[in-house]
Amino acid sequence: MDAAERVLAYGGGWLDRAGPLRADPARLEALLTEPTTVVLPLWRDRCLVDGDGPVRLTADRTSLVRAAADETVFLGLDGDAAVFAVDLSALNERSAVEMVGAARAVDVRALVGRLDPAEAAVQAYARGLLHWHRQSRYCGACGALAVAGGGGHVRTCGGAGCGRLLFPRIEPAVIVLVEAPGPPDRCLLAWHAGAPEGSYSTLAGFVEVGESLEDAVRREMAEEAGVTVTDVTYQGSQGWPFPAGLMVGFRATATSEEVRVDGVELLEARWFTRAELRERVAAGRQLGRVDSIDHQMLGQWLTAG
């Protein structure tokens, strides 16, 4: 899905993540005073926005903001300009908004239609990294406070005799377009628990310890929908930092048309023809989230026949 990958939301970020700079705290501190440096403020996983989109602070406006921030993290370089993000979650929403001259705080997913993919990628990257810091203040082994370092890409346990290094976690999940074993061409969509009635989307699930991605596809389809699949084929991947996902898309073919939903995660699953999906689109129903890889996979399936 090369063409689709170029336009997937939260991918294609323009930043050079400049890993070696993370080990140079003096250089990072100096970059924070450079006039070309940009600082992106966030509040409790939300972008702080004005009438033009996400607020981008320059170095001369960041001293008070950084003093109020829980964390300041280095995201990378945009050409020669450094890009940082700050977390103002310790403030109430009004104070955070006023401090940076914003109008409101908005989830990046609500902005994705207004931002180009690269801008959305940087905002999502900042969101995911700052979320991880708020959830990883203490060492999971000894309970001591863990101190941020590496430009915000590592935390080190301060406990005596521990010193454990904590790195941002990524939680991989598979998302699968299952096709029927024979004609007519159909794909399997499911009504998920908690979703509005009549809302159908592709099947997905998290990868478990000791599994390959393909193993996870086969297990999840069997557990949730009672479907055995073969011909498991990779389609593409998408960063999904809400809070730490990596969505990995696959196609697979069912060995039988029989479907038995688990009744817990899936309430119903059924086969759809292309004509039926086109009718749903014409009626104003979305095929998956517009910013998600499953929307792309379903769109490609529709145009293939």
Side-chain angles (χ1 to χ4, degrees):
M1 58 182 296
D2 293 345
E5 283 184 31
R6 289 197 293 271
V7 295
L8 282 173
Y10 320 120
W14 68 77
L15 292 184
D16 170 3
R17 296 204 178 193
L21 280 179
R22 299 173 188 173
D24 190 345
R27 178 59 182 149
L28 292 180
E29 191 63 32
L31 284 172
L32 279 162
T33 67
E34 293 281 347
T36 57
T37 289
V38 172
V39 177
L40 307 177
L42 284 86
W43 178 82
R44 300 182 190 177
D45 296 336
R46 299 182 186 178
C47 304
L48 293 167
V49 301
D50 57 21
D52 298 321
V55 170
R56 296 165 62 89
L57 301 174
T58 50
D60 60 341
R61 297 177 57 197
T62 61
S63 57
L64 289 177
V65 173
R66 289 185 59 208
D70 289 334
E71 298 291 347
T72 299
V73 298
F74 173 64
L75 300 179
L77 299 175
D78 180 5
D80 293 327
V83 182
F84 292 81
V86 293
D87 188 358
L88 298 178
S89 296
L91 304 178
N92 61 47
E93 183 174 0
R94 180 177 179 180
S95 297
V97 165
E98 291 179 349
M99 176 172 282
V100 302
R104 62 193 185 281
V106 181
D107 191 317
V108 66
R109 286 171 288 189
L111 297 172
V112 70
R114 295 171 48 194
L115 304 177
D116 66 49
E119 177 71 22
V122 173
Q123 292 290 333
Y125 170 26
R127 180 196 192 278
L129 192 54
L130 292 175
H131 179 93
W132 171 73
H133 277 285
R134 290 201 309 280
Q135 301 300 314
S136 306
R137 296 187 184 281
Y138 298 93
C139 174
C142 73
L145 183 68
V147 179
H153 293 262
V154 64
R155 296 182 74 93
T156 303
C157 173
C162 185
R164 184 180 183 186
L165 299 179
L166 312 178
F167 295 96
R169 296 182 60 185
I170 302 298
E171 299 169 355
V174 293
I175 187 163
V176 189
L177 179 65
V178 179
E179 297 180 276
D185 291 346
R186 287 157 293 160
C187 69
L188 184 66
L189 302 181
W191 173 23
H192 294 254
E197 186 172 358
S199 175
Y200 291 88
S201 58
T202 53
L203 285 71
F206 286 103
V207 181
E208 294 188 352
V209 174
E211 281 187 321
S212 70
L213 297 172
E214 293 81 1
D215 289 340
V217 169
R218 288 184 281 266
R219 175 185 53 78
E220 284 286 346
M221 300 307 101
E223 288 181 354
E224 293 188 4
V227 174
T228 301
V229 297
T230 185
D231 299 328
V232 177
T233 307
Y234 173 76
Q235 297 294 292
S237 65
Q238 178 184 31
W240 191 258
F242 307 110
L246 173 66
M247 303 297 290
V248 187
F250 287 89
R251 276 197 190 185
T253 302
T255 60
S256 161
E257 295 183 14
E258 182 181 3
V259 176
R260 299 185 310 277
V261 298
D262 63 3
V264 178
E265 294 191 40
L266 301 185
L267 303 180
E268 182 186 349
R270 52 165 292 210
W271 299 101
F272 286 83
T273 65
R274 288 186 173 89
E276 288 174 318
L277 288 189
R278 291 188 181 106
E279 287 177 5
R280 290 176 67 82
V281 172
R285 290 186 177 272
Q286 293 284 355
L287 298 179
R289 286 188 58 97
V290 295
D291 58 342
S292 173
I293 189 173
D294 71 327
H295 182 75
Q296 298 285 351
M297 291 195 299
L298 284 167
Q300 286 189 321
W301 187 77
L302 274 183
T303 59

